[in-house]
């Protein structure tokens, strides 16, 4: 090869290498989010300013029931999959940073107050596992109470549900089979075993839970009886107590997978708006007294009841077969102000943090709708494969999310 | 030059050019913030996960009284300077993206609900100017009411104060010299003139204001009389009303620059914790009745009263000469639980969004302290030139901030 050709080859090689360093346009993370595509083990990465998807990540396993929390800087989304997969997705490179299979069957997760720990609540084996949020190394393994399982005729760990983070570097969760609520306190640091506080006989079969937005009250729904269990996390010494004794009473029993999701308690002002059980109603609870003070007739069995960030509206979706509809409750009037019909399979919804838009997954139409929450018009729509959960990065800054 | 040397020179040149494309490490924006350096016209860019500064931006004009809002994606910080400067800082490149001088004398600003508009409240000329948040092009110029100025013996526009954003794409602000509160509604889009709603005779000389975190109540402090003015933004047709008629009553009058900052109303549960005027007390206000229901003796004249995000503590700083101290109020007990002495010039403080840390500017020591809000220990300290306001990117997601 002559010298000119050699030079040209060298330059071409170097420039080829060079281009792999050409900078991607810089992107901030405050207006991003993730949408679960539940049938294909994938997620869409979205941008709320663009009102559009901007990327996709695949190979995330079984996402038929999945949830997400974000790292404190909003860089990473931790995806908790039904198959026990825990995937750490890099929002900026739109790729899997790390992925582990941490159990056989899992239902959800949480991130600690300071962002250093990610906890996962497992059905099988029953318990909670806690990981370093950066490396996904196992930090703690908290087996649940052993209970006799009639099917296998052996003892096994209780299924764990309703896992949330709480102030003071704590995780709080419920044990479905042993009727307990536990607090795991990691404030001594991840090198130490967590300090466990256990509440027993909280009520029969806690199946889900929520934490109030200030992180004070942990409330578990009971599947095996009417009412709910409450723990005041400022006063654990007072134990758990039952509230709303009539919640669920007197109606035909729903299967547990149709029970309302407690993420969907909408707190607006002094009231909580709560899905009734086995009735086509949203209940109004006074947060000072924990008494039901009203109810609002709605289109079907409510699943999620979500307050707009300014607390002026509460939006409701419904269980099959009425799952093509969304209703908007006017909080002041305590009645339905608007009904929308996006289509079959309205599974989940998420407000932009200042409340101007609502994103809605319409699974059976393979579509996501974006609504203006003042005019109720559809601003944008785009395709997604069997979309379910929608999670925005603003959750990184909120207790319990 | 022989061929080898030529090749070497060429490769060196190309690699040199190549390195200018080498990627900066990618960075998310959820854990970033800005600290005003009030004497040097500069700001520090900080990271709350690192608990450290990561950069500095200079040439921002007169920041002796400055504030900041963030773009919805957290990419940009808009710095409102006393000299009427409006600087758009890129958090990722840590440089000035754009800067304009938009008035002669300015006191603060806000960003609209959807992030498309930035408004600035001006003393001179009195009024509000609204800019496209991306280009800083002027979108609207809202002159304030003209009032007779005894000094110049001519009419001039009222000074505008207490500017906040509100749901529904609105800005709300007060007119100090004309005793008014105005709402500017931009929901028809930035091409249209805003719809103005004006409340007159709200009370004498509103000097500052705040909006409740749900964006419903706009509350202005009155300098020229006791009490405060309130507008229920859900019901503007009801006009403004006076609340807390005894607020400020009976004490020696403070100069206006020593009046408490209303940003610092701490809402915790059903109560607001409010700096008293000319008394060494924090007042406790019942938010349902707007009645004062208690008071807490504190170290000096409170300036900022800030609730930890979980509402369990309220931290207070003080005016000169007691400005070396911070006190922590236990919200449940409604009394001071802890006193800290960071040093002279404790000007401002900011909680990390889940509340585990508090960053404090200690101006006269040219230092920033970072506290653990559970143990009260100083986790880190670093140098800053006359630090004042501290603003974290999590404000991007909050109504009124």
């Amino acid at each position: 090869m002559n010298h000119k050709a050699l030079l040209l080859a060298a330059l071409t090689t170097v420039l080829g290498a060079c281009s792999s360093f050409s900078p991607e346009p810089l992107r901030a993370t405050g207006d991003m989010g993730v949408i679960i595509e539940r049938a294909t083990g994938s997620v869409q990465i979205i941008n709320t300013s663009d009102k559009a998807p901007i990327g996709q990540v695949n190979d995330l396993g079984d996402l038929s029931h999945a949830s997400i929390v974000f790292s404190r800087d909003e860089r990473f989304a931790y995806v908790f999959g039904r198959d026990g997969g825990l995937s750490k997705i890099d929002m900026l490179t739109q790729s899997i940073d790390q992925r582990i299979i941490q159990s056989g069957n899992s239902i959800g997760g949480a991130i600690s107050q300071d962002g250093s720990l990610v906890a996962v609540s497992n059905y099988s084996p029953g318990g909670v596992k806690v990981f370093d949020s950066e490396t996904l190394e196992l930090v703690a393994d908290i087996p649940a109470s052993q209970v006799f399982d009639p099917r296998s005729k052996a003892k096994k760990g209780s299924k764990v549900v309703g896992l949330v983070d709480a102030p003071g570097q704590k995780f709080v969760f419920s044990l479905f089979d042993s009727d307990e609520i536990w607090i795991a306190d990691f404030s001594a640091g991840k090198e130490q075993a967590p300090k466990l506080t256990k509440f027993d006989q909280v009520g029969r079969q806690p199946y889900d839970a929520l934490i109030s937005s200030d992180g004070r009250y942990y409330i578990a729904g009971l599947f095996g009886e009417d009412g709910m269990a409450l723990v005041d996390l400022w006063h654990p010494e007072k134990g758990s107590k039952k509230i709303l004794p009539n919640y669920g009473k007197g109606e035909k029993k729903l299967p547990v997978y149709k029970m309302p999701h407690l993420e969907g308690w909408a707190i607006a002002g002094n009231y909580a708006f709560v899905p009734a059980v086995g009735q086509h109603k949203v209940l109004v609870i006074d947060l000072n007294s924990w008494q039901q003070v009203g109810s609002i007739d709605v289109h079907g069995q409510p699943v999620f009841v979500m307050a707009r960030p300014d607390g002026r509206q509460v939006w409701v979706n419904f269980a099959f077969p009425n799952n093509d509809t969304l209703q908007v409750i006017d909080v002041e009037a305590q009645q339905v102000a608007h009904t929308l019909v996006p289509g079959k399979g309205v599974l989940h919804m998420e407000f932009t943090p200042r409340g101007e838009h609502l994103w809605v997954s319409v699974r059976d139409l393979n579509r996501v709708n974006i609504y203006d929450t003042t005019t109720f018009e559809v601003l944008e729509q785009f395709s997604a494969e069997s979309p379910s959960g929608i999670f925005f990065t603003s959750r990184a800054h909120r207790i319990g999310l």
Side-chain angles (χ1 to χ4, degrees), chain A:
Chain A
M1 195 191 278
N2 66 24
H3 285 129
K4 268 193 184 165
L6 185 64
L7 183 59
L8 192 62
L11 280 174
T12 306
T13 306
V14 171
L15 283 169
C18 201
S19 70
S20 72
F21 288 102
S22 63
E24 292 298 322
L26 288 176
R27 181 186 287 284
T29 47
D31 60 349
M32 296 180 74
V34 180
I35 300 180
I36 304 279
E37 292 183 312
R38 68 192 305 274
T40 45
S42 57
V43 302
Q44 293 215 25
I45 310 284
I46 62 87
N47 182 283
T48 64
S49 303
D50 299 339
K51 298 199 284 297
I54 58 172
Q56 192 175 42
V57 180
N58 297 297
D59 303 317
L60 296 167
D62 180 356
L63 300 184
S64 58
H65 192 293
S67 65
I68 286 177
V69 297
F70 290 96
S71 61
R72 58 178 286 140
D73 61 352
E74 301 163 345
R75 175 78 184 259
F76 298 102
Y78 299 89
V79 186
F80 307 102
R82 189 56 189 262
D83 56 2
L86 167 55
S87 309
K88 184 183 173 201
I89 291 176
D90 186 326
M91 299 290 284
L92 290 176
T93 63
Q94 294 165 25
S95 61
I96 297 174
D97 181 87
Q98 290 188 72
R99 175 171 159 77
I100 62 174
I101 301 293
Q102 55 83 37
S103 79
N105 194 332
S106 166
I107 201 65
I111 187 158
S112 62
Q113 182 181 24
D114 71 353
S116 70
L117 301 171
V118 169
V120 196
S121 54
N122 292 321
Y123 275 11
S124 172
V128 171
K129 287 190 180 164
V130 181
F131 302 88
D132 179 296
S133 65
E134 191 167 342
T135 63
L136 296 191
E137 282 173 6
L138 185 69
V139 161
D141 188 344
I142 309 171
S145 300
Q146 295 273 308
V147 290
F148 181 78
D149 171 44
R151 243 177 300 190
S152 63
K153 298 206 187 338
K155 282 199 155 184
K156 54 185 285 200
S158 164
K159 292 189 280 293
V160 175
V161 297
L163 173 68
V164 297
D165 66 283
Q169 197 69 353
K170 300 181 173 80
F171 293 109
V172 191
F173 48 93
S174 300
L175 286 70
F176 180 87
D177 300 299
S178 62
D179 301 346
E180 293 178 275
I181 291 170
W182 290 10
I183 303 172
D185 183 338
F186 282 86
S187 56
K190 63 181 184 173
E191 308 301 321
Q192 311 288 334
K195 180 162 163 284
L196 297 179
T197 304
K198 303 182 181 184
F199 304 88
D200 64 355
Q201 297 177 52
V202 301
R204 294 195 52 214
Q205 295 173 312
Y207 74 92
D208 193 8
L210 66 95
I211 192 166
S212 55
S213 56
D214 61 4
R216 177 169 183 176
Y217 297 107
Y218 180 82
I219 299 164
L222 300 172
F223 179 64
E225 63 179 89
D226 297 324
M228 312 192 83
L230 175 141
V231 175
D232 178 351
L233 296 171
W234 289 14
H235 293 290
E237 72 284 359
K238 292 185 178 172
S240 74
K241 74 173 191 182
K242 298 260 184 77
I243 61 169
L244 300 176
N246 297 320
Y247 186 73
K249 195 191 253 334
E251 301 294 329
K252 187 170 79 139
K253 205 154 178 51
L254 288 182
V256 69
Y257 61 85
K258 280 197 164 184
M259 294 293 281
H261 279 65
L262 295 193
E263 179 197 1
W265 265 39
I267 311 275
N270 284 324
Y271 300 112
F273 291 76
V274 173
V277 179
Q279 302 179 64
H280 294 187
K281 290 185 194 290
V282 168
L283 309 179
V284 187
I285 311 295
D286 180 313
L287 289 174
N288 293 317
S289 64
W290 297 108
Q291 301 292 319
Q292 180 181 330
V293 295
S295 77
I296 303 161
D297 291 331
V298 293
H299 178 75
Q301 164 67 51
V303 176
F304 286 105
V305 179
M306 314 272 281
R308 196 171 71 172
D310 71 338
R312 200 161 184 187
Q313 297 170 350
V314 161
W315 291 55
V316 190
N317 72 334
F318 302 99
F320 183 86
N322 305 108
N323 66 356
D324 61 353
T325 294
L326 269 177
Q327 288 193 302
V328 184
I329 292 171
D330 180 290
V331 162
E332 224 180 3
Q334 289 190 16
Q335 59 190 29
V336 172
H338 209 86
T339 298
L340 298 156
V341 187
K344 283 279 182 198
V346 176
L347 293 194
H348 198 240
M349 50 186 154
E350 178 90 324
F351 287 99
T352 47
R354 292 194 191 211
E356 70 280 5
H357 299 154
L358 181 75
W359 289 46
V360 176
S361 51
V362 191
R363 178 198 57 196
D364 299 11
L365 298 185
N366 294 307
R367 193 156 79 200
V368 173
N369 287 359
I370 304 173
Y371 290 90
D372 179 311
T373 61
T374 304
T375 65
F376 307 113
E377 46 173 325
V378 177
L379 297 173
E380 288 292 339
Q381 292 176 314
F382 60 88
S383 298
E385 286 268 7
S386 294
S388 59
I390 305 176
F391 304 85
F392 293 159
T393 51
S394 46
R395 288 171 173 245
H397 300 146
R398 292 185 52 196
I399 295 167
L401 297 181

